């Protein structure tokens, strides 16, 4: 058997089970400590997920270990200090393993066909250091025991779990040695997943059939802990979801119910089953998470009250680094909504929805990249995400549309996968992480050269293949969503490669790779010329696709097709005024509504603010009728929707909520961030229509804050705090334009 690692000395062990078995095997090892010790450390990888206990106790408060990875390239191990859990005398290690994405049966994204797919497996090294300086090691091998009689009799990241708490008598046999996973072992180095917050139910309703429908106080990704003193053998079914049906029962997903039910024709997703044991029963999943606003509990013979239920938000414990508030309560609600939606999609990687997909869609993260960086400490988390992209690039010679990927979606879609470069640029600018950029630069360069080669073969403009302005409005708030862009991918994909090469020039300059800059510049010139020749109608002052199909009700003028050239510097200077006027005119004609999908939505506020259309930008931001962000709030949303329509599939999906970037960069004015905030501009939109706004960010250099308010006489007070070591350009209307260093500054204008 292949031990397959140079980091851990143990053997990979498993149980006699097939990949179709759904139960969770439990491994154990007993050992004696007869001397005084002062240190004990365990390194462990259990795939897909592991729950480690030392003498019946968890080593820390993290869950869903280890992080999801491209298992064919990388598998993560965790390291725990367990000295406080060991005792002199007999000790016992137990490790229970769940399936997760390592051994998933659903075929929607080909997880069932993944090259790495295998029954759960384990490797561990325990090192004990004694007071006399001697050491002992306990390694996984055939002497470990394993049972298949544990209480978790089924588990799936999509379908949920079944626990039978009556199962307490186990039959043990020796573990078997198994092949190592193909991927290399690496220490997990990103914020761990924890129960980061908890909630009580908002409402508990007993339904006519005996079901309990329980409402959470807000949209949550995680699970419920349920404590019930019920008879042994009682089966409780807990189903999670985002919506209720008209009759008040939960909208389940699967079989014949809910969006994409055909994906799971045989059973429901997001459903747990618990069979009560003889003692007090506490039901809590541990190998799956769910997205939900509501849960439905079936099978309880007794009343369920608030004391029986605790909801947990489960997410990577990324640190919040900023605050924002202003005089408009709608905007404040929108800000909180986006933060909540991001956290609800931070599980190992940024996901697109915690209900249906749980996938690391790159387009979603590309749209919201700067929102993430402005709200959270993303240094380690984003590095890990980019490392997964890099693993996929090594495996497929392309960065797929989702990562990790099981041979699904392996194509070049630039609006999605250019985050491979943009993410590294963001790490330089927000975290001053040039070291990481230097490590990964050779692969970034090859990625860029591949795009240049492909685009050159297409005469420097992209075709219609690829994902682009996903989920622009369909035409009516009750219409079925039409996710595909009517205008195809050609403008968006071409523009994103053009902008990506600008980032490559910036990164190359930072790293001293001056010999590469000319290659990127030459390609950008070719793209610029071809883009304007093909898509720009100079007589009309608009950019227009050469491909069109009517999906839903959409006007041929596309806001995104004009926003991207404006945002990325593709518009010839002499035509910029006309393009802007046409954009503003279209927004005004549509009664200050945006008409963009995920790609254009990110740029609509910055382009309007940057070019003097402040009033239009503010009216778009604060619009409350369909299609708009405020419309979500009017409909009772507390997390972002996947689409503008009430028919949206997911109500917990962040890629359209990218207005949040402009709250920091334009309303508060913190923009042009470079080198870990060593250089930036403060240029707030004082005349946007607000009475006050304030924002603060904990930067790598210290606190950066901007606070401004409008007085009754029409003048403004502006207070700015610049961290030491920073160099900031301050621009306040046409009155102040100066460069300052660290310190506190007050202005009255």
């Amino acid at each position: 058997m292949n031990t397959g690692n140079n980091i851990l000395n143990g053997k990979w062990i498993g149980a006699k089970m097939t990949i179709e078995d759904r139960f969770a095997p439990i491994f154990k090892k007993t050992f004696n400590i007869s001397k005084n010790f002062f240190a004990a450390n365990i390194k462990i990888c259990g795939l897909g997920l592991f729950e480690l206990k030392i003498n019946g106790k968890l080593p820390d408060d993290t869950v869903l270990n280890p992080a999801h990875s491209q298992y064919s390239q990388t598998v993560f191990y965790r390291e725990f200090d367990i000295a406080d859990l060991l005792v002199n005398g007999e000790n016992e290690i137990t490790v229970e393993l769940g399936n997760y994405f390592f051994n998933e049966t659903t075929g929607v994204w080909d997880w069932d066909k993944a090259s790495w797919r295998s029954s759960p497996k384990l490797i561990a090294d325990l090192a004990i250091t004694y007071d006399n300086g001697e050491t002992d090691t306990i390694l996984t091998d055939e002497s470990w025991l394993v049972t298949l009689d544990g209480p978790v009799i089924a588990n799936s990241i999509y379908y949920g779990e079944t626990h039978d708490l009556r199962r307490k008598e186990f039959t043990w046999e020796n573990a078997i040695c198994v092949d190592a996973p193909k991927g290399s072992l690496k220490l997990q180095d990103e914020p761990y997943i924890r129960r980061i917050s908890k909630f009580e139910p908002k409402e508990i309703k007993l339904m006519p059939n005996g079901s309990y429908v329980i409402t959470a106080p807000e949209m949550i990704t995680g699970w419920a802990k349920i404590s019930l003193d019920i008879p042994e053998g009682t089966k409780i079914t807990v189903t999670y979801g985002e919506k209720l049906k008209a009759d008040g029962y939960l909208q389940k997903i699967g079989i014949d119910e809910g969006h994409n039910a055909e994906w799971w024709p045989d059973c429901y997703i997001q459903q747990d089953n618990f069979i009560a044991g003889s003692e007090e029963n506490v039901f809590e999943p541990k190998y799956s998470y769910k997205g939900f606003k509501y849960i439905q509990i079936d099978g309880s013979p007794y009343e369920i009250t608030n004391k029986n239920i605790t909801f947990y938000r489960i997410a990577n414990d990324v640190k919040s680094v900023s605050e924002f508030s202003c005089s408009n309560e709608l905007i404040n609600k929108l800000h909180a909504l986006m933060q909540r939606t991001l956290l609800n999609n931070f599980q190992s990687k940024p996901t697109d929805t915690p209900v249906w997909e749980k996938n690391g869609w790159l387009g979603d993260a590309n749209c919201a990249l700067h929102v993430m960086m402005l709200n959270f400490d993303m240094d380690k988390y984003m590095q890990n995400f980019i490392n997964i992209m890099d693993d996929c690039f090594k495996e497929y010679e392309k960065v797929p549309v989702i990562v990790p990927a099981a041979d699904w979606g392996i194509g070049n879609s630039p609006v999605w996968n250019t985050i491979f470069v943009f993410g590294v640029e963001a790490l330089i600018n927000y975290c001053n992480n040039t070291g990481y950029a230097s490590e990964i630069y050779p692969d970034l360069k090859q990625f860029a050269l591949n795009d240049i080669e492909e685009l050159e073969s297409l005469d420097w403009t992209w075709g219609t293949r690829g994902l682009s302005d996903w989920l622009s409005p369909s035409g009516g708030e009750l219409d079925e969503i039409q996710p595909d862009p009517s205008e195809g991918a050609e403008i968006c994909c071409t523009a994103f490669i053009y902008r990506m090469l600008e980032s490559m020039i910036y990164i190359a300059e930072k790293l001293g790779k001056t010999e590469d800059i000319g290659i990127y510049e030459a390609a950008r010139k070719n793209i610029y010329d071809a883009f304007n020749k093909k898509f720009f109608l100079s007589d009309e002052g608009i950019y227009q696709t050469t491909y069109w199909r009517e999906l839903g009700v959409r006007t041929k003028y596309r806001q995104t097709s004009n926003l991207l050239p404006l945002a990325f510097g593709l518009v010839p200077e002499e035509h910029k005024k006309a393009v802007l006027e046409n954009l503003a005119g279209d927004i005004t004609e549509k009664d200050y509504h945006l008409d963009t999908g995920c790609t254009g939505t990110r740029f609509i506020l910055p382009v309007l603010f940057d070019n003097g259309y402040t009033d239009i930008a503010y009216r778009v931001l604060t619009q409350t009728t369909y299609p708009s962000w405020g419309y979500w709030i009017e409909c009772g949303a507390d997390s972002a929707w996947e689409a503008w329509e009430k028919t949206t599939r997911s109500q917990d999906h962040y890629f359209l909520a990218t207005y949040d970037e402009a709250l920091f960069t334009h309303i508060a004015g913190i923009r042009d961030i470079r080198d870990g905030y060593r250089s930036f501009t403060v240029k707030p939109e004082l005349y946007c229509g607000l009475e006050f706004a304030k924002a603060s960010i904990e930067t790598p250099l210290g606190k950066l804050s901007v606070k401004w308010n409008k007085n009754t006489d029409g003048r403004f007070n502006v207070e700015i705090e610049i961290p030491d070591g920073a160099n900031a350009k301050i621009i306040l209307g046409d009155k102040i334009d100066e460069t300052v260093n660290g310190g506190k500054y007050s202005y009255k204008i």
Side-chain angles (χ1 to χ4, degrees):
M1 292 293 180
N2 173 24
T3 59
N5 72 90
N6 297 314
I7 298 174
L8 275 65
N9 295 309
K11 297 178 180 179
W12 282 96
I13 58 174
K16 295 175 183 177
M17 54 190 295
T18 73
I19 60 173
E20 301 306 321
D21 291 327
R22 297 290 90 195
F23 36 74
I26 302 173
F27 299 80
K28 77 172 180 178
K29 178 73 173 179
T30 57
F31 58 95
N32 279 284
I33 298 178
S34 58
K35 296 178 285 190
N36 291 332
F37 63 93
F38 71 88
N41 178 276
I42 189 169
K43 298 176 181 178
I44 179 172
C45 175
L47 298 173
L49 296 170
F50 68 83
E51 182 185 73
L52 166 69
K53 290 184 178 179
I54 307 296
N55 294 323
K57 295 181 180 180
L58 298 168
D60 67 7
D61 63 348
T62 62
V63 295
L64 299 177
N65 292 301
H68 189 193
S69 62
Q70 186 72 12
Y71 299 116
S72 50
Q73 299 291 318
T74 298
V75 293
F76 290 120
Y77 71 91
R78 289 286 315 275
E79 190 168 356
F80 300 94
D81 181 346
I82 58 170
D84 291 342
L85 300 178
L86 297 177
V87 296
N88 284 102
E90 187 173 83
N91 293 268
E92 182 181 77
I93 307 172
T94 61
V95 185
E96 187 179 69
L97 301 183
N99 289 305
Y100 202 43
F101 289 96
F102 185 67
N103 185 27
E104 177 51 50
T105 59
T106 187
V108 184
W109 300 278
D110 290 343
W111 297 120
D112 61 329
K113 302 179 185 69
S115 62
W116 58 70
R117 192 176 168 206
S118 166
S119 299
K121 57 185 63 177
L122 169 69
I123 189 171
D125 287 12
L126 168 61
I128 303 169
T129 305
Y130 298 102
D131 289 354
N132 63 7
E134 295 178 353
T135 61
D136 270 341
T137 56
I138 297 166
L139 309 176
T140 44
D141 59 20
E142 304 94 322
S143 70
W144 284 55
L145 301 179
V146 63
T147 183
L148 303 180
D149 300 331
V152 180
I153 60 177
N155 72 96
S156 160
I157 183 60
Y158 291 103
Y159 297 113
E161 306 174 35
T162 299
H163 296 201
D164 187 345
L165 275 62
R166 297 171 300 180
R167 292 165 65 107
K168 296 183 182 296
E169 299 296 327
F170 304 154
T171 299
W172 298 91
E173 60 182 33
N174 288 93
I176 59 174
C177 286
V178 296
D179 285 332
K182 185 178 178 182
S184 301
L185 276 165
K186 294 181 183 177
L187 179 66
Q188 183 176 327
D189 187 23
E190 71 166 350
Y192 304 123
I193 298 178
R194 289 186 165 90
R195 301 171 181 85
I196 63 170
S197 50
K198 66 179 181 178
F199 310 87
E200 292 183 355
K202 180 180 178 182
E203 181 184 27
I204 298 178
K205 187 175 181 180
L206 176 61
M207 305 300 288
N209 72 343
S211 300
Y212 283 88
V213 174
I214 304 172
T215 305
E218 62 187 43
M219 193 70 75
I220 299 170
T221 293
W223 57 64
K225 179 180 178 181
I226 303 170
S227 302
L228 291 173
D229 186 10
I230 54 178
E232 182 178 7
T234 304
K235 180 181 177 181
I236 301 295
T237 299
V238 185
T239 313
Y240 297 76
E242 294 179 349
K243 304 174 186 178
L244 299 180
K245 295 187 293 186
D247 59 9
Y249 289 89
L250 183 80
Q251 177 61 71
K252 298 177 182 178
I253 302 164
I255 308 180
D256 294 319
E257 296 188 41
H259 277 283
N260 300 124
E262 70 280 3
W263 290 355
W264 300 286
D266 301 321
C267 55
Y268 295 116
I269 60 170
Q270 298 216 130
Q271 186 174 87
D272 296 331
N273 293 283
F274 301 101
I275 302 171
S278 58
E279 302 172 2
E280 181 181 3
N281 292 285
V282 179
F283 307 129
E284 187 173 6
K286 48 187 171 180
Y287 300 122
S288 61
Y289 66 84
K290 290 86 173 176
F292 65 98
K293 182 72 174 284
Y294 309 95
I295 67 170
Q296 182 171 311
I297 300 180
D298 292 293
S300 176
Y302 302 142
E303 181 185 11
I304 295 175
T305 67
N306 275 35
K307 70 178 183 179
N308 303 118
I309 309 290
T310 302
F311 293 126
Y312 291 107
R313 173 167 285 123
I314 308 296
N316 291 90
D317 194 8
V318 290
K319 178 185 176 184
S320 176
V321 296
S322 66
E323 294 180 350
F324 174 88
S325 63
C326 68
S327 57
N328 186 309
E329 191 55 32
L330 171 63
I331 296 175
N332 293 334
K333 288 181 179 180
L334 287 170
H335 174 57
L337 176 147
M338 181 50 158
Q339 287 187 315
R340 182 179 303 115
T341 308
L342 284 172
L343 285 174
N344 282 345
N345 284 280
F346 283 171
Q347 285 81 32
S348 289
K349 73 277 182 184
T351 65
D352 63 323
T353 157
V355 177
W356 283 266
E357 304 204 20
K358 297 177 166 68
N359 287 322
W361 282 93
L362 298 191
D364 305 53
N366 211 5
C367 293
L369 174 63
H370 293 270
V371 179
M372 294 179 191
M373 305 301 289
L374 288 162
N375 278 282
F376 300 102
D377 179 358
M378 296 296 291
D379 192 3
K380 294 294 186 181
Y381 189 71
M382 187 54 63
Q383 282 186 60
N384 178 70
F385 193 38
I386 296 169
N387 283 338
I388 301 174
M389 299 177 214
D390 197 35
D391 277 350
C392 289
F393 186 59
K394 288 180 169 69
E395 184 164 343
Y396 301 118
E397 297 183 348
K398 291 182 176 69
V399 177
V401 293
I402 64 169
V403 301
D407 296 339
W408 187 94
I410 312 303
N412 190 7
S413 198
V415 179
W416 261 233
N417 64 20
T418 48
I419 190 178
F420 189 39
V421 173
F422 295 146
V424 175
E425 180 185 37
L427 286 170
I428 293 172
N429 288 333
Y430 290 94
C431 308
N432 199 33
N433 199 335
T434 55
Y436 180 74
S438 181
E439 291 174 15
I440 204 168
Y441 180 80
D443 289 343
L444 297 186
K445 178 181 176 181
Q446 189 58 56
F447 174 82
L449 292 176
N450 290 354
D451 270 3
I452 290 171
E453 181 180 1
E454 185 163 0
L455 206 57
E456 184 176 14
S457 72
L458 298 169
D459 294 327
W460 298 105
T461 61
W462 201 261
T464 59
R465 172 178 52 86
L467 301 170
S468 56
D469 200 31
W470 205 246
L471 281 164
S472 55
S474 293
E477 57 189 302
L478 298 178
D479 288 355
E480 285 302 312
I481 60 174
Q482 299 288 343
D484 283 319
S486 292
E487 62 272 29
E490 50 186 25
I491 285 180
C492 290
C493 289
T494 308
F496 264 72
I497 295 174
Y498 181 80
R499 173 65 183 87
M500 179 271 291
L501 292 173
E502 181 182 12
S503 294
M504 287 301 299
I505 291 169
Y506 176 74
I507 295 169
E509 288 173 342
K510 288 292 178 185
L511 301 179
K513 306 290 185 179
T514 55
E515 67 278 7
D516 297 332
I517 293 173
I519 299 171
Y520 308 140
E521 287 179 336
R524 272 172 56 84
K525 183 182 185 307
N526 287 326
I527 296 168
Y528 181 94
D529 292 340
F531 184 91
N532 281 286
K533 181 179 179 181
K534 184 172 183 178
F535 303 124
F536 186 46
L537 306 180
S538 58
D539 292 344
E540 299 179 44
I542 64 171
Y543 285 84
Q544 190 172 86
T545 179
T546 64
Y547 171 88
W548 180 258
R549 56 179 174 164
E550 187 65 57
L551 294 170
V553 179
R554 291 172 178 161
T555 60
K556 189 72 177 288
Y557 178 88
R558 304 310 301 153
Q559 292 176 5
T560 296
S561 293
N562 291 271
L563 282 164
L564 294 188
L566 288 164
F568 294 166
L570 277 159
V571 183
E573 191 61 34
E574 66 272 21
H575 295 291
K576 188 174 179 182
K577 182 174 183 292
V579 176
L580 282 164
E581 287 177 347
N582 281 312
L583 173 65
D586 186 74
I587 296 169
T588 304
E589 277 183 28
K590 293 183 168 93
D591 195 22
Y592 303 96
H593 292 96
L594 41 67
D595 189 23
T596 52
C598 66
T599 306
T601 296
R602 179 202 161 190
F603 298 103
I604 191 165
L605 296 180
V607 166
L608 291 171
F609 276 131
D610 283 343
N611 291 284
Y613 292 93
T614 303
D615 177 63
I616 295 177
Y618 185 73
R619 293 183 69 167
V620 170
L621 174 60
T622 56
Q623 177 65 265
T624 58
T625 56
Y626 168 86
S628 70
W629 302 298
Y631 175 71
W632 298 341
I633 301 291
E634 290 293 306
C635 292
D638 55 29
S639 53
W641 291 1
E642 185 178 20
W644 303 109
E645 292 75 26
K646 284 184 178 179
T647 55
T648 182
R649 178 184 65 161
S650 172
Q651 294 182 352
D652 198 5
H653 195 290
Y654 60 75
F655 75 167
L656 290 175
T658 44
Y659 54 78
D660 202 65
E661 180 180 344
L663 305 189
F664 289 95
T665 59
H666 288 78
I667 289 179
I670 303 167
R671 60 182 80 180
D672 304 328
I673 298 161
R674 297 287 185 270
D675 301 324
Y677 290 88
R678 281 161 176 76
S679 171
F680 56 88
T681 297
V682 177
K683 185 184 178 184
E685 293 288 348
L686 302 177
Y687 308 103
C688 67
L690 293 170
E691 297 300 313
F692 79 85
K694 60 180 179 179
S696 65
I697 302 173
E698 286 298 328
T699 78
L701 300 174
K703 185 178 180 180
L704 161 60
S705 66
V706 178
K707 179 181 179 181
W708 62 263
N709 67 278
K710 185 178 181 180
N711 296 323
T712 55
D713 62 2
R715 294 194 298 174
F716 292 88
N717 298 323
V718 184
E719 297 178 10
I720 302 171
E721 182 176 358
I722 307 298
D724 289 340
N727 181 274
K729 186 176 182 63
I730 297 177
I731 302 172
L732 304 177
D734 57 359
K735 305 295 184 183
I736 304 293
D737 187 342
E738 65 180 14
T739 300
V740 301
N741 297 316
K744 295 182 178 181
Y745 301 88
S746 296
Y747 302 91
K748 292 183 183 295
I749 64 170

